[in-house]
Every structure is written in structure tokens, then in C-alpha cells.
Amino acid sequence: MSHLAKQSFTKSMESRHLITLSLGGVIGTGIFMSSGYLIQSAGAVGTIIAYGIGALLVCLVMLCLGELTVHDPNTGAFHRYASKYISPGVGFVTAWLYWLTWTIALGSEFVTLAILAQKWFPTIPTWAWTIGFTILIFAINSFNLTFFNRTEFWMSIIKVFALIAFIVLGLGMIFKIIPVHHANFAPFFKEIIKPGWFPNGFGPIFSVILAANFAFSGTEMISVAAGETDNPKKAIPKAIFQTLVILIVLFIGTIVIMGALLPQKSAALTDSPFIAVLNNCGIPYASDIMNFILFITVLSAANSGVYAASRMIWSLADQNTLPKRLAKLSKNGIPVYGLALTILGGLLALFSSVYSPKLVYLALSAISSFAVVMVWLIIGWAQLNFRKQFLKSGHQLSELSYRTPAYPLVPWLVIIICAISLVGIASDPNQRIALEVGIPFSILCYAYYQLVYRKKVQTVNGGNDNE
């Protein structure tokens, strides 16, 4: 980290803040709105298996990232590890892929927030809500880190408690403790296997595994905040473990409840499974309750995404691969230029979704899908190389405060599973565009680094470029 950043970044992140930041990015509309569609596609059992595989992969990724982050905590995290332990060009590509992931999502999140707000205030136009929420998210991120932490903490708490309440109510209905207003309800988890273990065969499960992988994306945000964390050697491993436990219990628990309470052919699975379950147990104002939870969910996801993306811009500038002035921090330790560029990128993504949905926005969304898998693959690759270089330079394993277990098996598993996921994307006609756009974009980014920035970085770093 640069001298300026060491002076100016506020190290006020604690373990609980890292957890809620990560949960803010991971618990999005996917689990609340898309999970029912996955159950219809692959069946409840197939979806549970898919989420189990997604959980395994994210655990492996975070085991790799834990060693890297605890050894070298800094803002920007894994793109710096890619630069240092693979090559600067790969790190450059990683940062832009990750920035685009959150920035592209921001455009659709602005619109979703406006639509949700219009359900309560239908006379206010969508464009007015969009402007209002853009200003709100910018304000939350630009004030100071303490304010951001508190805001994200309470929004994440609401999302977590909403899922816990759903699981508890669901279990009460499954075990007939709570009456069910549903004529064809099969209690005691019978509904899960009622249509058969794999009603649509094994084919759809593979696509659902890819969706489950994406559902867990955002967990790696813990490492982005490492440079702003107080006592990272203690806080980061604790945050990684607790975040993974919370996510696995909540995500798989939610899928189990949905599969046990709603028949696979039920239209409610694709319309609004949460509202259907709340209505079935007689909860009043179910639609308004879910609208509020979805509103908080999207606001939290946008808020944490802007945080992560703005730090990527700062880190690129700090490493001299963007103009150095973009690394400027406010007096409160906020990367103001990175924040402004991220908000602007989100608005451009929003405009592209309106004016060019079948060309520009489709291509941007494809890059975002490709980025999730590539970032995880690169994390495994960087950790594999780090351990080799660490030992080769004369260090001992005992010097590492946190060690990835079962090395080199864990990083190799990350690389192999991510590679298989890319093959799966290639074999799915609906997702193939992610590779058709993502791979050329990555090659162009790499070539741009080589042509424009490589000599500049070597000059600034005194020729210390490991490419």
C-alpha cells in the first residue's frame, strides 16, 4: 500500500463489519427471487446439491484467500495478489473484471429500487426515484467509514433475520406446529421428493450449479476491506469462518424450506415463493413485508458493491495503472474519485440497459457472469504461487499466521472446479455469451496493460515487474 494510503485510510473495520459487508454483497435478490426458478428447473434435491457444491467451492476459495489476506492485508486485495504472484497484467485484468461485476449490477439495482419504491408511492416517477437512490448510495459511501459500517451492518442484519424468520416459520409449517392454508400440502419434507429425486433428469442440475456459484459471489469482499481493518490477523479468519457458516445455513436452509412447502409445478416458485409461504401460514401484509425486505436487500447490495468497486479503482491508481490523481482520498479516508467513477459507471450501465439492452447491456452482463468464475480461479492460482514463492525465498510455514489447509490440494481444486464451470458455461447456449464476450475482453485488457502501462509501472517500481 502506498505511503498516502497508510496515512489516510481509516482502519475502523472490525470482524462484524467484514461479515456484514460480505453478507451485503452476497445476500441479494438471487436468493429471494431466483431460487424458486432453480427448484423448478432441477427439483428441490438437485438444487440443494447444487448449492452444496457452490458452498464447497466458496469455502475452498476463502481458504486460499485467507492465507493471502492475513499475510498481506491491503485495500484492493486479490487483484494485488494476482499482480504480485501471477503477473501484473493478470492483476490488471482481475481488477477491471471485478469492478465491472459490481458496477454493471449497480445499474439494474437503481431501477429495481425505484420499482420497489413505486409500489408504495406510485405517483413519483421511476427517474426521480433513481436519482434519489443514486444520491443516497453516494452519500452513504462518501461520508465516512464508520457511517458506512453502521448502515451496512443494520441492512445486513435485516436480511439475515428475514431469512432466519422464513426458515423458522417454514419448519413450523413442515412439522405442523403452524397451520398451513394449503390444500395439497405434504408435511415432513415429503414434498421435496414427491415429484421424484431428479424430476427433470441430471442435465438441469449442472446449470443450477453455475447459478449457485454466482449466488455465493461477494464473499470475497472481506479481503477488499483488509486494508481498512483493525487487527486483520484476528478479524479476517474469524470473519471468513462466520460468514461461510451463516451463508451456508441460510442459503441451503431456504432452499430446503421452499422445496418442502411449495410443489415443484407451483407458479409461486417463479412468481414470489416468499410471499406464497407467508400467505400460506396466514401472515398479514405478506406482500408489503417482502417488498420492504427486497428494498433493503437491493439497497444493501448496491451499497456494498459500490464500496468494493471504488476500492478497486483506488488500488489501480495506487499501482500506477490509472492516473495517480485517482488514488486521492478524502479527509475521511474515502477514495472519492473511485466512488464517483463507480457511480458514473452504474448510471452508464443503467442507460445501456434502457437504450441498448440487446447489445451493450447484454455484453456487459456477460462479462459480469464470466468475471465471478475468473476471479475465483485467479485467487486459487495466486495462492498456489504465493506459497511456492514464500518457501523458495527462505521463509518457514510457521511464519504464516493463517495457512490454507491441505496445500496444494485446495488451490488446485479451486482452479479445477472453476475451469469445469467455464466448460459448463460453454456447453450452455443461454450462458455461452459470457465466454464469447468475457474472454476477448480479458485479452484486450491484458494487451492494453502490456502496451500502455507495463513500461510505466517498471519505471515507477524501479524495474520490479515480475512479468
Side-chain angles (χ1 to χ4, degrees):
M1 191 180 297
S2 72
H3 179 65
L4 173 64
K6 286 178 181 176
Q7 284 187 318
S8 303
F9 268 117
T10 305
K11 293 183 179 291
S12 59
M13 286 272 193
E14 299 173 8
S15 180
R16 63 193 176 98
H17 299 134
L18 295 175
I19 294 168
T20 52
L21 173 67
S22 182
L23 294 176
V26 182
I27 303 177
T29 53
I31 189 65
F32 285 104
M33 299 177 73
S34 303
S35 46
Y37 169 76
L38 300 180
I39 293 172
Q40 280 198 334
S41 299
V45 174
T47 306
I48 292 167
I49 291 171
Y51 267 79
I53 293 170
L56 171 64
L57 176 56
V58 78
C59 284
L60 296 173
V61 170
M62 294 309 290
L63 287 174
C64 292
L65 197 52
E67 179 172 305
L68 291 165
T69 307
V70 172
H71 175 71
D72 181 19
N74 61 66
T75 301
F78 41 82
H79 102 81
R80 288 177 176 252
Y81 307 141
S83 294
K84 193 172 182 179
Y85 304 116
I86 303 173
S87 79
V90 172
F92 183 76
V93 173
T94 303
W96 281 114
L97 285 173
Y98 200 68
W99 183 80
L100 279 169
T101 296
W102 293 109
T103 304
I104 293 162
L106 189 60
S108 61
E109 285 161 351
F110 285 148
V111 174
T112 304
L113 284 169
I115 292 169
L116 292 169
Q118 272 193 318
K119 289 187 178 180
W120 293 312
F121 305 98
T123 57
I124 300 176
T126 303
W127 65 264
W129 282 119
T130 301
I131 292 172
F133 291 127
T134 302
I135 294 169
L136 176 63
I137 290 168
F138 183 84
I140 292 172
N141 277 271
S142 61
F143 188 59
N144 61 47
L145 190 60
T146 301
F147 181 71
F148 171 85
N149 285 338
R150 288 175 180 169
T151 306
E152 194 54 50
F153 176 81
W154 287 110
M155 287 196 290
S156 292
I157 288 293
I158 289 171
K159 294 193 291 187
V160 168
F161 274 98
L163 290 175
I164 290 172
F166 178 77
I167 292 169
V168 171
L169 284 172
L171 289 172
M173 296 164 73
I174 289 166
F175 290 104
K176 303 178 75 173
I177 299 169
I178 298 174
V180 181
H181 306 289
H182 190 286
N184 301 317
F185 171 63
F188 305 112
F189 303 103
K190 294 176 185 176
E191 192 65 57
I192 289 179
I193 56 172
K194 193 175 178 182
W197 287 84
F198 304 105
N200 297 327
F202 291 100
I205 296 175
F206 199 84
S207 293
V208 173
I209 288 172
L210 298 174
N213 288 347
F214 300 143
F216 284 102
S217 65
T219 319
E220 68 289 327
M221 235 183 244
I222 288 171
S223 72
V224 177
E228 296 172 81
T229 301
D230 180 40
N231 194 5
K233 289 186 179 181
K234 181 180 178 183
I236 290 170
K238 181 180 178 182
I240 288 173
F241 175 76
Q242 292 183 357
T243 301
L244 290 174
V245 170
I246 292 168
L247 286 175
I248 292 166
V249 170
L250 292 182
F251 278 20
I252 295 181
T254 298
I255 297 297
V256 169
I257 298 299
M258 280 186 191
L261 291 176
L262 298 172
Q264 191 193 356
K265 302 296 183 183
S266 171
L269 278 172
T270 48
D271 293 340
S272 184
F274 281 80
I275 293 175
V277 169
L278 293 178
N279 283 331
N280 284 343
C281 67
I283 300 290
Y285 306 108
S287 180
D288 283 323
I289 291 170
M290 274 313 304
N291 200 60
F292 171 74
I293 292 168
L294 286 173
F295 178 83
I296 295 296
T297 296
V298 178
L299 186 64
S300 172
N303 195 42
S304 56
V306 166
Y307 172 91
S310 64
R311 269 61 181 176
M312 281 292 157
I313 293 290
W314 174 88
S315 189
L316 282 166
D318 188 58
Q319 289 196 308
N320 301 295
T321 49
L322 278 177
K324 194 70 177 179
R325 61 181 175 274
L326 296 180
K328 180 183 176 182
L329 300 167
S330 71
K331 62 181 180 180
N332 293 324
I334 303 298
V336 284
Y337 289 117
L339 178 58
L341 284 173
T342 298
I343 294 290
L344 177 62
L347 290 174
L348 291 175
L350 167 59
F351 293 143
S352 74
S353 70
V354 174
Y355 296 107
S356 185
K358 292 183 180 179
L359 183 63
V360 178
Y361 189 69
L362 184 63
L364 290 173
S365 300
I367 292 171
S368 182
S369 300
F370 171 78
V372 173
V373 181
M374 281 306 300
V375 166
W376 285 3
L377 188 152
I378 287 166
I379 288 170
W381 185 7
Q383 196 275 327
L384 188 71
N385 288 357
F386 160 71
R387 180 77 72 88
K388 290 177 183 176
Q389 293 176 27
F390 185 75
L391 296 176
K392 190 176 179 180
S393 61
H395 293 284
Q396 302 296 319
L397 278 181
S398 58
E399 296 175 45
L400 294 173
S401 301
Y402 181 93
R403 293 192 291 273
T404 301
Y407 178 91
L409 178 62
V410 167
W412 271 118
L413 280 174
V414 170
I415 294 168
I416 291 166
I417 295 173
C418 288
I420 292 171
S421 295
L422 292 174
V423 172
I425 291 172
S427 63
D428 185 344
N430 296 321
Q431 300 187 68
R432 196 173 296 148
I433 187 174
L435 297 183
E436 293 170 350
V437 177
I439 291 174
F441 174 81
S442 299
I443 292 170
L444 284 172
C445 272
Y446 188 85
Y448 184 75
Y449 173 84
Q450 295 283 25
L451 294 171
V452 176
Y453 284 114
R454 185 178 182 186
K455 286 185 179 179
K456 180 182 176 182
V457 172
Q458 282 181 323
T459 302
V460 172
N461 295 338
N464 184 24
D465 188 332
N466 64 355
E467 268 191 321

